[in-house]
Amino acid sequence: MDFGLTEEQKMVQDMARNFAEKEIAPYVEEDEENHYYRREILTKMGELGLLGWSIPEEYGGNGMGWMEAVTALYEIAKVHTAWRLSISGNCWGPAMTINEWGTEEQKQKYIPDLVSGKAVGSFAMTEANSGSDVGSMKTFAADKGDHWLLNGSKMWISGGHASDLGLVYAVTTEGGGPKGLSCFIIDYNNTPGITRIPITKKVGMWTAPTSEIVFENAMVPKENLLGPVNKGFQICMWMLNNTRMGCATGAAALSAACLEGSVNYANERTQFGQQIGKFQMIQQQIAEMKLEDDAAKYLVYRAAWLKENKLPSQQATSMAKLFGCNAAVHAANMAMKIYGSYGYSTEYPCGRWLRDAKQFETLEGTSNIHMGIVAGIELGYQPNR
């Protein structure tokens, strides 16, 4: 595996970096303070093709794959990790899943708006009592002949109340567990019976909308079933193996942001007549951060390379996500120490880094779940998809 960037990939990297510095960086602190989701950034991402990775050009895709995608996302998430959710919420979630499992009519109807940024996308699995155990969800879709009737609620849905369309996973065969779930495409703007409640009391990710979604006799057209009935669990696991790349890449990028900020601060701050970077304890912290940061980044590239070459990637994706979240949390902790009292001040980004890092340990599979996936595949208890 050669992870040296091609000239085209370097152009993608520069474009994403310039976009993040110009369109995201100036508003980070203001939007954090106001817990504000700047919708126009998603539109601009779509206009630049930053939402069209691994999507056929006939549906608006950008003609590029996983390696270019993680390279671009890394630059965006390094500036503000909350914006990595847009690529998962629009591209690697709904758009890619519809492209894999959808009918031609569904592909033409929904994918272009997702990859252009015209629509905000989302996917809803988690419920108040159903997180890691996806098969235990209670939201139910009843077959009413000419439509499905959806009842239940979803919790902690990224993009939720801002979403225009998304995927919702629900029970279609009562008592069937994982074999009784199906996936539906939901048009949130034109489906009565849906209430979306913003979740504002969060430790971090303040600029990313998160919601509870309640379905009360929501009528879903028959043609909005994605894939076969009762294949929802299979579709969901396939999707998660893609969207978890967003978590892995975002975590690695956050680790890099912490390292870069800590190096700059260690070279600027002086104590006892010298830069604090000259003290061995600070050097040890920087060295630990550098080792973990590089490892996290290369695990992301390895998983992306496997996906690009259509090779089994589930274990590699879980490894990248698991190690990346550990690296991000450790780097954020180290940054807080290196910055000293200023790290505890909102003048500096250390608090945001630490708040945002912690969510990687639970989002899209807890660290325990990913530990189990990595070990289970290694022990031969489950296949490496």
Side-chain angles (χ1 to χ4, degrees):
M1 290 176 275
D2 180 8
F3 298 146
L5 299 182
T6 66
E7 288 304 313
E8 183 178 34
Q9 288 166 345
K10 289 177 183 177
M11 290 175 63
V12 169
Q13 183 182 50
D14 289 342
M15 180 265 287
R17 183 185 296 124
N18 291 336
F19 174 81
E21 290 175 353
K22 179 182 177 183
E23 302 291 345
I24 297 176
Y27 307 106
V28 170
E29 299 310 326
E30 176 186 344
D31 292 347
E32 278 283 309
E33 184 176 348
N34 296 315
H35 293 218
Y36 180 67
Y37 172 62
R38 199 170 289 272
R39 172 68 175 78
E40 61 270 24
I41 291 177
L42 180 85
T43 303
K44 292 175 181 178
M45 289 173 74
E47 290 170 351
L48 285 176
L50 290 168
L51 303 175
W53 312 106
S54 300
I55 298 294
E57 292 181 78
E58 61 189 290
Y59 305 125
N62 58 28
M64 290 179 277
W66 283 101
M67 295 300 288
E68 290 81 10
V70 298
T71 298
L73 180 54
Y74 184 87
E75 297 300 327
I76 291 168
K78 189 176 174 183
V79 170
H80 196 184
T81 192
W83 279 103
R84 65 159 185 81
L85 286 166
S86 294
I87 291 179
S88 286
N90 275 49
C91 178
W92 291 342
M96 189 176 287
T97 308
I98 292 171
N99 182 61
E100 178 71 15
W101 297 91
T103 64
E104 184 60 32
E105 181 182 0
Q106 288 171 337
K107 294 177 186 180
Q108 292 182 9
K109 183 175 181 180
Y110 297 111
I111 295 177
D113 284 353
L114 288 165
V115 300
S116 69
K118 182 178 179 181
V120 177
S122 64
F123 50 91
M125 301 168 300
T126 304
E127 300 180 2
N129 293 307
S130 174
S132 298
D133 184 7
V134 174
S136 69
M137 67 176 61
K138 301 299 182 185
T139 297
F140 191 81
D143 188 345
K144 295 299 183 180
D146 62 343
H147 67 276
W148 296 91
L149 201 62
L150 195 59
N151 282 282
S153 63
K154 298 294 181 180
M155 197 71 175
W156 299 110
I157 305 307
S158 297
H161 55 278
S163 179
D164 297 301
L165 63 95
L167 304 183
V168 171
Y169 293 87
V171 176
T172 43
T173 298
E174 202 161 5
K179 294 182 179 180
L181 307 181
S182 297
C183 181
F184 298 90
I185 304 170
I186 304 297
D187 179 350
Y188 283 106
N189 298 325
N190 297 291
T191 306
I194 299 177
T195 302
R196 294 181 283 177
I197 306 161
I199 298 173
T200 56
K201 294 183 178 180
K202 301 185 295 182
V203 170
M205 303 295 284
W206 288 346
T207 66
T210 307
S211 314
E212 177 184 3
I213 305 178
V214 180
F215 303 93
E216 298 174 293
N217 291 325
M219 294 177 59
V220 180
K222 262 304 180 62
E223 61 268 22
N224 280 35
L225 173 71
L226 181 64
V229 175
N230 292 336
K231 288 293 184 181
F233 185 81
Q234 183 180 349
I235 294 171
C236 183
M237 294 302 107
W238 185 91
M239 181 195 73
L240 285 174
N241 195 39
N242 296 321
T243 59
R244 283 167 174 167
M245 283 299 298
C247 296
T249 307
L254 182 54
S255 167
C258 295
L259 173 60
E260 184 177 292
S262 296
V263 167
N264 290 338
Y265 189 81
N267 281 324
E268 292 169 1
R269 174 77 168 168
T270 59
Q271 288 288 281
F272 301 100
Q274 63 179 355
Q275 297 161 315
I276 63 171
K278 294 187 182 295
F279 293 106
Q280 287 183 330
M281 288 296 289
I282 299 294
Q283 291 179 0
Q284 179 184 344
Q285 291 169 326
I286 295 293
E288 288 179 8
M289 293 167 73
K290 174 62 176 173
L291 286 167
E292 294 179 359
D293 180 63
D294 267 21
K297 180 167 62 176
Y298 287 119
L299 283 171
V300 166
Y301 275 117
R302 184 177 71 121
W305 184 89
L306 290 169
K307 289 179 180 294
E308 189 89 351
N309 288 278
K310 303 189 184 305
L311 296 170
S313 62
Q314 185 184 20
Q315 187 186 50
T317 300
S318 283
M319 288 173 66
K321 199 268 187 185
L322 177 61
F323 191 89
C325 80
N326 291 342
V329 171
H330 186 227
N333 271 318
M334 289 300 100
M336 186 74 78
K337 293 178 182 179
I338 290 170
Y339 277 73
S341 295
Y342 287 106
Y344 207 66
S345 165
T346 54
E347 264 187 86
Y348 291 88
C350 300
R352 170 168 58 86
W353 289 338
L354 188 58
R355 292 193 307 271
D356 288 353
K358 291 300 290 183
Q359 52 94 29
F360 287 113
E361 295 180 324
T362 55
L363 193 70
E364 295 193 38
T366 64
S367 293
N368 290 352
I369 289 293
H370 287 283
M371 198 79 76
I373 292 171
V374 172
I377 291 173
E378 195 66 21
L379 288 164
Y381 299 158
Q382 63 191 79
N384 185 20
R385 295 182 282 111

